[in-house]
Amino acid sequence: MKKILILFCFCCSLSCVAQRTMSAKELSFRTGVENFLKEEGFLPSIDSDGDLQFKKEGELYWISVKNENPTYIEISKSGFSCDDAEKGLVLKACNYANMNTRSAKACLRNESVLLTIEMYCHTVDEFKYVFYSSLRTLTTIKDMVKDYYSKHDE
């Protein structure tokens, strides 16, 4: 039993190290995105997962950079807590918003809704081109989830 526990801890520590290691291309892409955010007046920082995080109008956002050729990007927005909400209705609201919004998704995760845009970009310039429309889409999907829930909550 002790050997199994040690092996489990070792595997967990390997996965944690693997999650934090970025290739030179991923790091270069993330640095390009970070510089763009600074040029646009944001104050990005790197969180414990290696993702960029920044605030816009009081809302917290994360940008995750993964893989190469093309680079996989996730832009996530702080969702909202729904620990006292009816989970079935929250799922219906997420599904409704997902069906009516392109490129974004709303997911019920434990006690909150996570809002994410996923895309592939070959260059930081491609990312820059869609950055602001992605932020607007995240706001749209958040509003759709909330509106659907409000209209159907009894």
Side-chain angles (χ1 to χ4, degrees):
M1 182 65 168
K2 192 174 186 180
K3 288 180 184 180
I4 292 173
L5 183 58
I6 291 171
L7 181 62
F8 176 76
C9 291
F10 177 74
C11 289
C12 287
S13 67
L14 282 179
S15 74
C16 290
V17 170
Q19 288 175 351
R20 286 183 249 147
T21 304
M22 294 181 82
S23 72
K25 286 184 179 181
E26 289 169 320
L27 189 56
S28 174
F29 200 100
R30 185 184 71 186
T31 300
V33 171
E34 182 178 15
N35 291 337
F36 166 71
L37 291 173
K38 288 176 182 176
E39 290 168 8
E40 293 296 303
F42 298 105
L43 300 172
S45 61
I46 298 171
D47 70 10
S48 60
D49 295 331
D51 299 332
L52 290 169
Q53 67 178 33
F54 66 98
K55 283 191 175 183
K56 180 180 183 286
E57 299 173 0
E59 300 257 21
L60 188 59
Y61 293 82
W62 297 269
I63 300 174
S64 178
V65 176
K66 299 175 184 168
N67 302 332
E68 305 170 11
N69 298 325
T71 303
Y72 174 73
I73 307 290
E74 287 181 348
I75 305 174
S76 301
K77 179 178 184 170
S78 57
F80 42 89
S81 176
C82 55
D83 51 349
D84 60 344
E86 199 266 296
K87 299 298 186 269
L89 185 53
V90 174
L91 282 173
K92 286 181 181 179
C94 288
N95 286 340
Y96 172 81
N98 290 338
M99 289 187 299
N100 291 285
T101 308
R102 293 180 188 247
S103 75
K105 61 183 174 182
C107 299
L108 177 60
R109 192 181 221 182
N110 299 323
E111 302 299 320
S112 63
V113 173
L114 175 67
L115 308 161
T116 305
I117 294 257
E118 299 174 315
M119 68 185 90
Y120 287 99
C121 294
H122 287 94
T123 65
V124 174
D125 285 335
E126 285 180 3
F127 173 82
K128 291 176 183 180
Y129 184 74
V130 297
F131 175 71
Y132 284 104
S133 61
S134 295
L135 298 186
R136 284 190 300 276
T137 301
L138 285 171
T139 298
T140 298
I141 197 167
K142 182 177 184 177
D143 292 344
M144 288 178 97
V145 171
K146 284 185 164 186
D147 290 347
Y148 184 96
Y149 187 88
S150 296
K151 289 178 184 174
H152 296 86
D153 188 26
E154 288 150 35

Short mmCIF file of all heavy atoms in Angstrom, two decimals, residues 3-32:
data_model
loop_
_atom_site.label_atom_id
_atom_site.label_comp_id
_atom_site.label_asym_id
_atom_site.label_seq_id
_atom_site.Cartn_x
_atom_site.Cartn_y
_atom_site.Cartn_z
N LYS A 3 3.85 1.56 -1.23
CA LYS A 3 4.46 1.71 -2.55
C LYS A 3 3.48 2.35 -3.54
O LYS A 3 3.85 3.19 -4.35
CB LYS A 3 4.92 0.35 -3.10
CG LYS A 3 6.14 -0.20 -2.40
CD LYS A 3 6.52 -1.53 -3.00
CE LYS A 3 7.69 -2.12 -2.23
NZ LYS A 3 8.09 -3.43 -2.79
N ILE A 4 2.22 1.96 -3.45
CA ILE A 4 1.20 2.53 -4.33
C ILE A 4 1.03 4.02 -4.05
O ILE A 4 0.94 4.82 -4.97
CB ILE A 4 -0.14 1.77 -4.16
CG1 ILE A 4 0.01 0.35 -4.70
CG2 ILE A 4 -1.26 2.50 -4.90
CD1 ILE A 4 -1.19 -0.53 -4.42
N LEU A 5 1.02 4.39 -2.79
CA LEU A 5 0.87 5.80 -2.41
C LEU A 5 2.07 6.61 -2.91
O LEU A 5 1.89 7.71 -3.45
CB LEU A 5 0.73 5.92 -0.89
CG LEU A 5 0.51 7.32 -0.35
CD1 LEU A 5 -0.75 7.94 -0.97
CD2 LEU A 5 0.36 7.29 1.15
N ILE A 6 3.27 6.08 -2.76
CA ILE A 6 4.47 6.77 -3.23
C ILE A 6 4.43 6.92 -4.75
O ILE A 6 4.72 7.98 -5.30
CB ILE A 6 5.75 6.04 -2.77
CG1 ILE A 6 5.88 6.19 -1.24
CG2 ILE A 6 6.98 6.60 -3.47
CD1 ILE A 6 6.97 5.34 -0.63
N LEU A 7 4.04 5.85 -5.45
CA LEU A 7 3.94 5.90 -6.90
C LEU A 7 2.90 6.92 -7.35
O LEU A 7 3.12 7.69 -8.28
CB LEU A 7 3.59 4.51 -7.46
CG LEU A 7 3.46 4.40 -8.97
CD1 LEU A 7 4.79 4.75 -9.65
CD2 LEU A 7 3.03 3.01 -9.36
N PHE A 8 1.76 6.96 -6.67
CA PHE A 8 0.72 7.93 -6.97
C PHE A 8 1.23 9.35 -6.80
O PHE A 8 1.04 10.21 -7.66
CB PHE A 8 -0.51 7.67 -6.08
CG PHE A 8 -1.59 8.69 -6.27
CD1 PHE A 8 -2.42 8.66 -7.39
CD2 PHE A 8 -1.80 9.69 -5.33
CE1 PHE A 8 -3.41 9.59 -7.57
CE2 PHE A 8 -2.79 10.63 -5.51
CZ PHE A 8 -3.59 10.58 -6.63
N CYS A 9 1.91 9.63 -5.69
CA CYS A 9 2.46 10.97 -5.43
C CYS A 9 3.49 11.35 -6.50
O CYS A 9 3.53 12.48 -6.98
CB CYS A 9 3.08 11.05 -4.05
SG CYS A 9 1.86 10.97 -2.73
N PHE A 10 4.33 10.39 -6.89
CA PHE A 10 5.33 10.64 -7.92
C PHE A 10 4.67 10.99 -9.25
O PHE A 10 5.06 11.95 -9.92
CB PHE A 10 6.23 9.40 -8.08
CG PHE A 10 7.25 9.54 -9.16
CD1 PHE A 10 8.36 10.35 -9.00
CD2 PHE A 10 7.09 8.87 -10.37
CE1 PHE A 10 9.30 10.49 -9.99
CE2 PHE A 10 8.03 9.01 -11.38
CZ PHE A 10 9.14 9.82 -11.19
N CYS A 11 3.64 10.25 -9.63
CA CYS A 11 2.94 10.52 -10.89
C CYS A 11 2.26 11.88 -10.86
O CYS A 11 2.27 12.62 -11.85
CB CYS A 11 1.91 9.43 -11.18
SG CYS A 11 2.65 7.85 -11.62
N CYS A 12 1.68 12.23 -9.73
CA CYS A 12 1.04 13.53 -9.60
C CYS A 12 2.06 14.65 -9.73
O CYS A 12 1.81 15.66 -10.39
CB CYS A 12 0.30 13.67 -8.27
SG CYS A 12 -1.20 12.69 -8.20
N SER A 13 3.23 14.48 -9.13
CA SER A 13 4.25 15.52 -9.22
C SER A 13 4.77 15.64 -10.65
O SER A 13 5.05 16.72 -11.12
CB SER A 13 5.40 15.24 -8.25
OG SER A 13 6.11 14.08 -8.64
N LEU A 14 4.86 14.53 -11.38
CA LEU A 14 5.27 14.59 -12.79
C LEU A 14 4.26 15.34 -13.62
O LEU A 14 4.61 16.13 -14.49
CB LEU A 14 5.46 13.18 -13.36
CG LEU A 14 6.73 12.46 -12.99
CD1 LEU A 14 6.75 11.08 -13.64
CD2 LEU A 14 7.95 13.24 -13.42
N SER A 15 2.97 15.11 -13.37
CA SER A 15 1.95 15.81 -14.15
C SER A 15 1.97 17.30 -13.85
O SER A 15 1.73 18.11 -14.72
CB SER A 15 0.57 15.21 -13.93
OG SER A 15 0.08 15.55 -12.67
N CYS A 16 2.25 17.67 -12.61
CA CYS A 16 2.32 19.09 -12.27
C CYS A 16 3.49 19.75 -12.98
O CYS A 16 3.38 20.86 -13.49
CB CYS A 16 2.47 19.29 -10.76
SG CYS A 16 0.98 18.86 -9.85
N VAL A 17 4.64 19.07 -13.03
CA VAL A 17 5.79 19.62 -13.72
C VAL A 17 5.50 19.72 -15.21
O VAL A 17 5.81 20.72 -15.86
CB VAL A 17 7.05 18.74 -13.46
CG1 VAL A 17 8.19 19.15 -14.37
CG2 VAL A 17 7.45 18.83 -12.01
N ALA A 18 4.86 18.71 -15.78
CA ALA A 18 4.55 18.71 -17.20
C ALA A 18 3.60 19.85 -17.55
O ALA A 18 3.69 20.43 -18.62
CB ALA A 18 3.95 17.37 -17.61
N GLN A 19 2.67 20.19 -16.68
CA GLN A 19 1.72 21.25 -16.95
C GLN A 19 2.39 22.61 -17.01
O GLN A 19 1.96 23.48 -17.71
CB GLN A 19 0.63 21.27 -15.87
CG GLN A 19 -0.33 20.11 -15.98
CD GLN A 19 -1.33 20.09 -14.83
OE1 GLN A 19 -1.20 20.84 -13.88
NE2 GLN A 19 -2.29 19.21 -14.92
N ARG A 20 3.48 22.81 -16.27
CA ARG A 20 4.13 24.11 -16.21
C ARG A 20 5.19 24.29 -17.29
O ARG A 20 5.65 25.38 -17.50
CB ARG A 20 4.75 24.31 -14.83
CG ARG A 20 3.69 24.59 -13.79
CD ARG A 20 4.29 24.85 -12.47
NE ARG A 20 3.92 23.71 -11.63
CZ ARG A 20 4.65 23.21 -10.68
NH1 ARG A 20 5.79 23.73 -10.39
NH2 ARG A 20 4.25 22.18 -9.99
N THR A 21 5.61 23.25 -17.95
CA THR A 21 6.66 23.33 -18.94
C THR A 21 6.08 23.76 -20.28
O THR A 21 5.18 23.13 -20.81
CB THR A 21 7.37 21.97 -19.09
OG1 THR A 21 7.87 21.58 -17.82
CG2 THR A 21 8.51 22.08 -20.07
N MET A 22 6.63 24.84 -20.82
CA MET A 22 6.20 25.33 -22.13
C MET A 22 7.36 25.22 -23.09
O MET A 22 8.51 25.43 -22.72
CB MET A 22 5.75 26.79 -22.04
CG MET A 22 4.51 27.03 -21.20
SD MET A 22 4.05 28.77 -21.17
CE MET A 22 3.17 28.89 -22.71
N SER A 23 7.06 24.92 -24.35
CA SER A 23 8.11 24.90 -25.36
C SER A 23 8.56 26.33 -25.64
O SER A 23 7.88 27.30 -25.27
CB SER A 23 7.60 24.25 -26.64
OG SER A 23 6.69 25.13 -27.29
N ALA A 24 9.67 26.47 -26.33
CA ALA A 24 10.18 27.79 -26.66
C ALA A 24 9.18 28.55 -27.54
O ALA A 24 8.97 29.76 -27.37
CB ALA A 24 11.52 27.67 -27.37
N LYS A 25 8.50 27.85 -28.46
CA LYS A 25 7.53 28.50 -29.33
C LYS A 25 6.29 28.95 -28.54
O LYS A 25 5.76 30.04 -28.79
CB LYS A 25 7.12 27.57 -30.46
CG LYS A 25 8.20 27.41 -31.51
CD LYS A 25 7.72 26.56 -32.67
CE LYS A 25 8.82 26.43 -33.71
NZ LYS A 25 8.39 25.65 -34.86
N GLU A 26 5.83 28.11 -27.63
CA GLU A 26 4.68 28.49 -26.80
C GLU A 26 5.03 29.70 -25.94
O GLU A 26 4.24 30.64 -25.82
CB GLU A 26 4.27 27.33 -25.90
CG GLU A 26 3.63 26.17 -26.61
CD GLU A 26 3.47 24.96 -25.73
OE1 GLU A 26 4.39 24.65 -24.92
OE2 GLU A 26 2.43 24.30 -25.84
N LEU A 27 6.21 29.68 -25.35
CA LEU A 27 6.66 30.79 -24.51
C LEU A 27 6.78 32.07 -25.32
O LEU A 27 6.36 33.15 -24.88
CB LEU A 27 7.99 30.43 -23.85
CG LEU A 27 8.49 31.36 -22.77
CD1 LEU A 27 7.46 31.53 -21.65
CD2 LEU A 27 9.80 30.83 -22.20
N SER A 28 7.31 31.96 -26.53
CA SER A 28 7.44 33.12 -27.41
C SER A 28 6.06 33.68 -27.77
O SER A 28 5.85 34.90 -27.77
CB SER A 28 8.21 32.72 -28.67
OG SER A 28 8.23 33.78 -29.58
N PHE A 29 5.12 32.79 -28.07
CA PHE A 29 3.76 33.22 -28.41
C PHE A 29 3.11 33.91 -27.21
O PHE A 29 2.52 34.98 -27.35
CB PHE A 29 2.92 32.02 -28.85
CG PHE A 29 1.71 32.40 -29.65
CD1 PHE A 29 1.72 32.30 -31.03
CD2 PHE A 29 0.56 32.85 -29.03
CE1 PHE A 29 0.60 32.65 -31.78
CE2 PHE A 29 -0.56 33.20 -29.76
CZ PHE A 29 -0.54 33.10 -31.14
N ARG A 30 3.25 33.29 -26.03
CA ARG A 30 2.67 33.90 -24.82
C ARG A 30 3.28 35.26 -24.55
O ARG A 30 2.57 36.21 -24.18
CB ARG A 30 2.86 32.98 -23.62
CG ARG A 30 2.14 33.52 -22.37
CD ARG A 30 2.39 32.70 -21.15
NE ARG A 30 3.77 32.90 -20.72
CZ ARG A 30 4.34 32.23 -19.73
NH1 ARG A 30 3.66 31.30 -19.09
NH2 ARG A 30 5.59 32.45 -19.40
N THR A 31 4.59 35.40 -24.75
CA THR A 31 5.25 36.69 -24.56
C THR A 31 4.72 37.72 -25.54
O THR A 31 4.50 38.88 -25.17
CB THR A 31 6.78 36.53 -24.69
OG1 THR A 31 7.23 35.59 -23.71
CG2 THR A 31 7.50 37.85 -24.51
N GLY A 32 4.49 37.31 -26.79
CA GLY A 32 3.91 38.22 -27.78
C GLY A 32 2.52 38.69 -27.38
O GLY A 32 2.19 39.87 -27.52
#
